[in-house]
Amino acid sequence: ATVLLPNRRACRSAREAFLRLRQGRPTLLPRLVALGDMDEDELALAGWRDGETDLAEGGLNLPPVLSGLRRQLLLTRLILALGTPGTTPDHAARLAIELARLLDQVETERLSFDGLANLVPDDFADHWRITLDFMKIVTERWPAILAAEDGVDAARRRNLLLTAQADVWRRQPPVDPVVV
């Protein structure tokens, strides 16, 4: 059987729970796969396949992930470029971390920023306009940077991998049980 869990920590907890239930006796555990931390190599090791091709051997043609540090530095640069008075580099770096979390959350939930401008009517506080101007970092500038870098955010890549695996399983359902 294969058990899909949200992250490596959940996999460790599940493994420990299985061992506790068996009171330390040798046990053949199910395949535990961390969805939040996976890449093609891990999928291939877990036995996931793209039809006849191993995912790790080029079965998918996905752009590389932008490293976390590179992403934070690029977002920091975009924040500093706004020229907002009083924004120091360390403040911009902290804001960049929060923007990265927001990007990941939106991608994880498979949402978009499309309706952001229409959330609040125009007759509300001026700070909403300021917020929308700030959010252009993620709605306009960030997609352009990703295209120039020929990369994707880690959450986007994970979703692409999950979608690809779901497509494979629709065509060729696994013979062993899969628990999510």
Side-chain angles (χ1 to χ4, degrees):
T2 300
V3 179
L4 306 178
L5 296 163
N7 51 44
R8 289 186 179 133
R9 182 174 161 205
C11 288
R12 280 192 303 275
S13 294
R15 184 174 47 251
E16 290 167 6
F18 279 118
L19 293 175
R20 232 183 354 267
L21 285 171
R22 296 283 301 156
Q23 298 173 344
R25 292 188 307 262
T27 275
L28 182 60
L29 296 176
R31 196 173 311 132
L32 303 173
V33 179
L35 295 176
D37 306 322
M38 70 179 179
D39 60 23
E40 290 99 327
D41 293 338
E42 288 176 297
L43 291 179
L45 288 173
W48 291 21
R49 303 179 77 71
D50 178 12
E52 298 299 314
T53 308
D54 262 334
L55 291 171
E57 294 176 5
L60 294 174
N61 189 17
L62 298 177
V65 172
L66 209 62
S67 78
L69 179 59
R70 177 131 181 91
R71 179 169 77 160
Q72 182 181 357
L73 291 173
L74 289 169
L75 286 168
T76 300
R77 186 184 303 165
L78 289 173
I79 293 166
L80 288 171
L82 287 177
T84 306
T87 302
T88 61
D90 63 320
H91 183 241
R94 286 193 304 273
L95 283 173
I97 291 169
E98 293 306 318
L99 277 180
R101 285 186 186 138
L102 176 64
L103 285 165
D104 289 345
Q105 183 175 359
V106 167
E107 183 61 43
T108 297
E109 298 191 22
R110 297 178 187 253
L111 300 172
S112 74
F113 293 104
D114 293 343
L116 189 62
N118 301 324
L119 283 178
V120 178
D122 291 334
D123 56 341
F124 278 98
D126 194 42
H127 76 276
W128 181 246
R129 183 192 51 77
I130 294 167
T131 301
L132 285 177
D133 286 343
F134 180 78
M135 291 302 292
K136 285 182 181 174
I137 290 172
V138 293
T139 60
E140 296 174 8
R141 295 179 186 103
W142 188 244
I145 285 179
L146 286 175
E149 294 279 324
D150 192 31
V152 293
D153 289 315
R156 171 90 174 126
R157 187 176 173 99
R158 184 196 62 236
N159 281 352
L160 291 170
L161 286 168
L162 289 172
T163 299
Q165 185 58 54
D167 291 343
V168 169
W169 278 347
R170 276 187 208 90
R171 290 190 311 269
Q172 297 174 307
V175 283
D176 297 327
V178 176
V179 179
V180 181

